[in-house]
Amino acid sequence: METNPTSAEELKTIRKIMEESTKFLSLSGLSGVFPGIFAIAGALAAWLLIFRKNGISTDQYFNTAASTVMSFISWKMLIVALTVLSLSLATAFYFSVRKAKRTGVNFWTPVSRRMMINLFIPLVAGGIFALILIFHGHTGVIIPVLLIFYGLSLVNAGKFTYNEIFYLGILQIVTGLLCALFPAQGLLFWSLGFGVLHIVYGLFMYRKYEA
Amino acid sequence: MKDLISGLNKIFESRIRLGIMSVLMVNDSYDFNSLKEVLDVTDGNLASHLKALEDKGMIHTRKRFVGRKPNTSYSATEEGAVLFRQHLNALEELIKSQ
């Protein structure tokens, strides 16, 4: 059977092509580590510059529906959150584009487009929902909402990239639900979900696929 | 042995055609340039194999304009999908029988 070695080889190539054409594999582990660090820095900044400085406890802020007195805090929190988000997105893109270049593949492919669409639909919906919650002064549920919607985005995008993203999504959802149970600890859960989980995940992925 | 070979299809006897079909089995549709990139082949080479597969009714071609640029995308026909799956099964059987 002379054809056998080539048949085996052919099947291997076919499997590889099938995976490469459906999975976005340029996602870098470092795209997780840096956003994680930014998230923790953001939480610290919020704690030091907003709560301690104004002598307001997180319990007061997250547990009571914010009155107009509290709304200035919400705007400051929003600025911190948006800074963390934009820095995170920028570094996530940077490291993924770099990994794509390094492995010699294109960053912008039908698969990466599909992954982005699936990632951004729940993410944008969650972001808008959070803005509406701020507008109505429902401060206690904003962080849980962000964590849950982010988790759902990852679960959705996980079909088009590494499987681990799916599990990271599940953990973010769980963190968000726990946060909803203990709203006063919002900053802590924020650091746990967006911070610690990202860093642990990123290091794990970096060691597994890139180191 | 005869049964094993019968699933193998002459249409797919080329690395590039196998590649094209592999991509189109797991994606609803794929455009020319992305196919070129995934398979790492030249324009002319890819075009001639796509033409051959289309002539045999294995794939659909869809031409349209994205802005001003022509964009051609391909998808597997039902018949193409069935025959390719048979081809893969036959390849697997062949390996197992070794």
Side-chain angles (χ1 to χ4, degrees), chain B residues 67-95:
Chain B
R68 281 177 151 196
K69 280 187 189 165
N71 176 293
T72 314
S73 58
Y74 303 88
S75 53
T77 60
E78 246 169 70
E79 196 198 353
V82 169
L83 288 180
F84 188 65
R85 222 168 276 135
Q86 280 174 6
H87 184 78
L88 286 188
N89 289 340
L91 274 179
E92 247 160 27
E93 288 300 320
L94 211 62
I95 291 164

Side-chain angles (χ1 to χ4, degrees), chain A residues 95-170:
Chain A
F95 285 111
S96 291
V97 169
R98 198 182 72 156
K99 188 182 169 192
K101 264 194 199 140
R102 213 178 260 174
T103 45
V105 296
N106 208 333
F107 176 75
W108 204 236
T109 61
V111 198
S112 65
R113 275 197 288 277
R114 228 174 287 158
M115 191 204 74
M116 304 272 180
I117 291 169
N118 280 274
L119 178 77
F120 278 108
I121 289 173
L123 203 59
V124 169
I128 295 171
F129 187 37
L131 286 176
I132 295 171
L133 290 174
I134 293 179
F135 182 72
H136 286 305
H138 299 303
T139 48
V141 281
I142 292 168
I143 291 177
V145 158
L146 290 176
L147 283 165
I148 291 168
F149 274 82
Y150 178 59
L152 292 172
S153 305
L154 293 182
V155 166
N156 215 24
K159 285 169 273 179
F160 305 100
T161 180
Y162 295 108
N163 265 338
E164 284 86 346
I165 284 283
F166 173 87
Y167 296 105
L168 177 64
I170 301 282

Side-chain angles (χ1 to χ4, degrees), chain A residues 153-209:
Chain A
S153 305
L154 293 182
V155 166
N156 215 24
K159 285 169 273 179
F160 305 100
T161 180
Y162 295 108
N163 265 338
E164 284 86 346
I165 284 283
F166 173 87
Y167 296 105
L168 177 64
I170 301 282
L171 289 175
Q172 298 285 6
I173 294 171
V174 171
T175 311
L177 291 173
L178 286 174
C179 181
L181 277 178
F182 308 101
Q185 306 303 320
L187 287 180
L188 208 66
F189 281 105
W190 164 287
S191 311
L192 190 69
F194 292 123
V196 177
L197 283 182
H198 269 149
I199 295 172
V200 170
Y201 157 84
L203 290 176
F204 172 77
M205 294 299 278
Y206 191 75
R207 289 193 55 157
K208 187 169 174 189
Y209 296 105

